[in-house]
Amino acid sequence: MERIDKVLAHHGYGTRKDVKKLLRTACVTLNGKQIFDPATHIDLVKDTLAIDGESISLQHDIYLMMNKCKDVVCANRDGEHSTVFDLIAPELRHPFMGGELHHVGRLDIDTEGLLILTTDGALTHRMISPKTHIPKTYAVRLRDSKDEKTRAHYTEQFAKGLHIPHEGNEPEFDAQSAELRWLSDDAASIDETTVKNAAGCDCLLTIYEGKFHQVKRMFAAVGNEVIYLKRVAMGALNLDATLPLGAYRELTEEELNLLG
């Protein structure tokens, strides 16, 4: 149960002072009965709220899937580049009851694909915590194509775990075992949505951690270079293959359940 003035303020209707004025000047109804008291409590799940006859969708948290495009950064603001929040409609950028909208993890400026944005801090912690080992799958296009023998060697090396040299100020580390699948070899065993998302790529890499530039550094460690990178899945959630680059939509209840 939450106060009506707090709920409306968090749904984009201004400050609590603005909401008090709204209650005096507009017809605000709760379950069909007009209300005037800003201290009235509302159940976000069960109650129906309307302003001048128009129902208000009440949400404690919001969950968005974005197909991130290149040349935008995962940041609240950036003096040089556009951010993922510049792609979001203004009405979704106000604080919800659950908090501020934020991105779950990051994608590099030149990396495309699945990005989750939410106000649910508990979900974010669960998704990015090193203890949970949430798998993240990337479609990769490489500089150098390889024959079947070399592809098998790459797959074996990634499965064993690679030593990754330092990059700039980023320290060296030993990458955990990762699953490398080649689209030319394994396409028949890969689900249709992933195949669509990976069009034009050479392979799929699933990792269970998230070090700085990890995918690029892993392929560099075996003597190759990533020239295109796209995240196509997080956990059991696949990127919607019909979602255009730079676009976003709310997660369905079924998709949200996939995140646990």
Side-chain angles (χ1 to χ4, degrees):
M1 301 291 289
E2 299 283 356
R3 283 175 54 119
I4 190 68
D5 56 353
K6 181 179 179 182
V7 170
L8 288 175
H10 280 80
H11 279 73
Y13 289 90
T15 65
R16 293 202 186 187
K17 183 177 180 180
D18 295 330
V19 171
K20 289 180 181 179
K21 181 178 179 181
L22 178 70
L23 290 169
R24 294 194 306 268
T25 59
C27 180
V28 181
T29 59
L30 180 62
N31 300 324
K33 181 180 179 181
Q34 187 169 2
I35 56 173
F36 303 93
D37 185 358
T40 301
H41 281 72
I42 183 171
D43 186 320
L44 295 177
V45 176
K46 298 178 180 179
D47 289 338
T48 299
L49 181 67
I51 298 178
D52 289 334
E54 182 178 348
S55 294
I56 306 301
S57 177
L58 299 174
Q59 294 177 282
H60 187 276
D61 286 296
I62 189 169
Y63 305 87
L64 303 177
M65 170 193 292
M66 175 180 285
N67 186 3
K68 179 189 170 295
C69 51
K70 292 183 179 180
D71 300 323
V72 295
V73 297
C74 291
N76 289 324
R77 59 183 61 87
D78 186 278
E80 184 176 355
H81 303 98
S82 296
T83 78
V84 294
F85 294 101
D86 293 326
L87 304 176
I88 301 294
E91 59 265 26
L92 296 180
R93 282 185 261 159
H94 64 80
F96 281 71
M97 300 301 295
E100 298 278 356
L101 187 67
H102 58 270
H103 43 79
V104 180
R106 295 175 180 271
L107 290 175
D108 294 337
I109 188 171
D110 59 350
T111 301
E112 297 178 352
L114 177 60
L115 184 68
I116 298 171
L117 299 102
T118 185
T119 55
D120 187 343
L123 173 67
T124 300
H125 177 74
R126 186 166 67 252
M127 292 293 294
I128 68 175
S129 172
K131 296 179 180 179
T132 55
H133 303 292
I134 299 293
K136 296 171 283 289
T137 299
Y138 296 82
V140 184
R141 188 184 306 147
L142 296 170
R143 179 194 63 202
D144 304 322
S145 59
K146 296 298 180 181
D147 58 25
E148 184 177 353
K149 181 178 179 181
T150 306
R151 293 197 299 269
H153 180 60
Y154 275 21
T155 301
E156 182 181 1
Q157 286 184 290
F158 278 65
K160 288 181 178 179
L162 292 166
H163 179 74
I164 309 300
H166 73 88
E167 179 180 325
N169 294 325
E170 295 295 322
E172 62 184 355
F173 70 97
D174 292 318
Q176 298 174 11
S177 174
E179 181 184 4
L180 183 61
R181 294 176 290 168
W182 298 89
L183 292 165
S184 57
D185 302 334
D186 304 326
S189 64
I190 300 170
D191 69 86
E192 182 179 352
T193 298
T194 302
V195 171
K196 288 180 179 178
N197 278 322
C201 293
D202 299 303
C203 57
L204 296 167
L205 178 63
T206 301
I207 60 176
Y208 297 85
E209 52 193 333
K211 303 292 187 180
F212 179 76
H213 289 173
Q214 180 167 342
V215 174
K216 298 171 185 175
R217 292 166 73 186
M218 290 177 77
F219 279 101
V222 295
N224 214 321
E225 181 183 348
V226 173
I227 60 173
Y228 174 77
L229 189 60
K230 178 181 182 180
R231 184 157 66 194
V232 297
M234 293 181 71
L237 177 67
N238 289 320
L239 174 65
D240 181 347
T242 67
L243 194 63
L245 276 172
Y248 63 92
R249 64 165 174 79
E250 288 196 54
L251 291 178
T252 65
E253 185 174 350
E254 181 181 0
E255 289 171 334
L256 186 56
N257 288 338
L258 292 175
L259 298 178

